[in-house]
Amino acid sequence: MIQTIASVGLPIDEPLMIRKNRLMPDNRLNGKEKRISVVTGTHGDELEGQYVCYELQRRIRESYSCLTGIVDIYPALNPLGIDSLTRGIPGFDLDMNRLFPGAQNGSMPEYIASQIIADLSGSDAVIDIHASNIFLEEIPQVRINELSKGTLIPLAKKLNVDYIWVHSAATVLESTLAYSLNMIGTPTLVVEMGVGMRIAKKFGDQLVDGIFALMKELGIWSGEVGEPKEPIISDDGEVMFINAGSSGVFLPAVEHWKNVRVGDHIGDILNPLTGEINETITAQADGIVFTLREYPIVSEGSLIARILV
């Protein structure tokens, strides 16, 4: 059942609508059903969640009798951004994930943010799906604020991701959707995976398997599910950042999500004008490369990789 949770008029005489699709079991429990909400499209250039929304619904419809709770799917919190492949809200130059919890009597983006919060509030779990930007590739991971880790880590372990990254409270922005919902008691998990403006089907399938495992745990799904992966769990202190020391064209020498040792060759920054190597980048610690530069043009200071040590 498709529902509109927010609608505002645009200058072009069309409405901007935020919509969700609610899937409910055939046999209702008088309003006592558990509810999971899957949201994505907050940033218009992050498209991984679009496939997840499709595949999740496809699998549910194949075995609809196994649905024992409510699944709410919000594919486009920022539909104008998705239509224009723009990270923020076109015309406002705003990052939507810096507007929550919004304001009922605020500007148009603030009003929409407040309606989204109101509609998601009370979910037994919210999965907030993001992709990386166009510059970096990320393995499927859940990012958690340490203030909520006691509640969220057991849920995150069901999502079949490779990695759970617990961030210190000082590094988490309070204006995000996830922070705002967690602070009012609605457990919200932020998933990051893939590359901006693209869809990695294997990552999407991996996450959908995990969503079904979490639905099973919450009593929303009675069908068979796979055993989730056992994720690596770490905090900020166990992550090493590698940044470019010069400008040029980055050519990687390692694979994504592979082990490296101190001194291993990570890649080179090339100079196409002179035919020389501006910088040879090596690992400064043993670990796993869980973030790797995808877009080759770099400037001094550009993020090249993250290593889980």
Side-chain angles (χ1 to χ4, degrees):
M1 177 173 58
I2 296 177
Q3 302 174 348
T4 299
I5 65 169
S7 180
V8 295
L10 294 173
I12 56 174
D13 199 27
E14 290 184 6
L16 169 63
M17 295 187 293
I18 311 298
R19 299 189 294 178
K20 72 176 181 182
N21 195 6
R22 167 163 287 190
L23 306 178
M24 297 184 293
D26 292 328
N27 299 317
R28 301 298 305 277
L29 300 176
N30 299 318
K32 296 180 180 179
E33 296 89 355
K34 296 285 189 175
R35 174 165 65 115
I36 189 170
S37 296
V38 177
V39 303
T40 191
T42 306
H43 296 131
D45 60 352
E46 298 179 1
L47 305 177
E48 300 283 4
Q50 302 301 304
Y51 172 72
V52 173
C53 290
Y54 159 79
E55 180 64 10
L56 179 60
Q57 294 180 80
R58 186 192 68 79
R59 294 193 200 179
I60 289 173
R61 291 195 175 102
E62 278 191 346
S63 305
Y64 207 88
S65 61
C66 295
L67 185 64
T68 55
I70 296 172
V71 180
D72 280 343
I73 297 176
Y74 305 71
L77 296 191
N78 177 13
L80 294 179
I82 290 178
D83 286 347
S84 59
L85 271 182
T86 304
R87 180 175 178 81
I89 304 174
F92 290 88
D93 195 26
L94 292 173
D95 184 334
M96 189 172 193
N97 213 25
R98 303 295 181 267
L99 295 175
F100 294 101
Q104 183 74 21
N105 298 317
S107 65
M108 185 192 85
E110 290 173 318
Y111 166 75
I112 289 173
S114 72
Q115 295 300 101
I116 290 169
I117 290 287
D119 203 70
L120 288 168
S121 177
S123 299
D124 293 281
V126 176
I127 313 300
D128 181 16
I129 304 172
H130 293 260
S132 185
N133 54 40
I134 64 170
F135 303 104
L136 304 166
E137 183 179 14
E138 301 279 6
I139 52 97
Q141 60 195 267
V142 175
R143 298 184 179 182
I144 291 173
N145 181 347
E146 67 177 1
L147 296 175
S148 306
K149 66 181 182 180
T151 301
L152 298 183
I153 286 179
L155 299 177
K157 285 182 174 181
K158 295 294 181 181
L159 278 184
N160 197 39
V161 296
D162 297 287
Y163 176 40
I164 298 173
W165 187 358
V166 181
H167 288 275
S168 65
T171 64
V172 176
L173 293 171
E174 297 182 4
S175 53
T176 63
L177 175 66
Y179 182 92
S180 298
L181 286 170
N182 280 314
M183 289 303 102
I184 60 173
T186 298
T188 302
L189 300 164
V190 176
V191 175
E192 188 103 10
M193 62 184 185
V195 184
M197 295 190 184
R198 301 176 209 177
I199 290 176
K201 185 176 182 294
K202 65 177 182 178
F203 289 164
D205 289 334
Q206 178 180 338
L207 179 59
V208 172
D209 289 344
I211 292 173
F212 274 101
L214 179 56
M215 288 166 56
K216 180 91 168 184
E217 178 74 11
L218 294 174
I220 297 172
W221 186 254
S222 63
E224 293 298 317
V225 299
E227 184 66 27
K229 291 184 175 185
E230 186 65 34
I232 298 170
I233 303 174
S234 77
D235 59 30
D236 287 337
E238 298 169 307
V239 175
M240 173 174 287
F241 291 72
I242 298 178
N243 298 90
S246 60
S247 300
V249 178
F250 174 67
L251 190 67
V254 295
E255 294 183 42
H256 197 212
W257 198 232
K258 296 294 184 180
N259 287 294
V260 294
R261 300 187 66 82
V262 173
D264 281 357
H265 189 197
I266 299 295
D268 296 309
I269 298 178
L270 312 178
N271 188 327
L273 179 63
T274 65
E276 298 174 328
I277 295 175
N278 285 349
E279 182 181 4
T280 296
I281 299 172
T282 58
Q284 302 303 307
D286 298 346
I288 305 175
V289 178
F290 74 93
T291 302
L292 185 62
R293 185 81 179 185
E294 175 75 13
Y295 189 78
I297 306 302
V298 299
S299 301
E300 183 178 351
S302 295
L303 181 61
I304 297 296
R306 296 188 187 102
I307 298 177
L308 177 60
V309 300

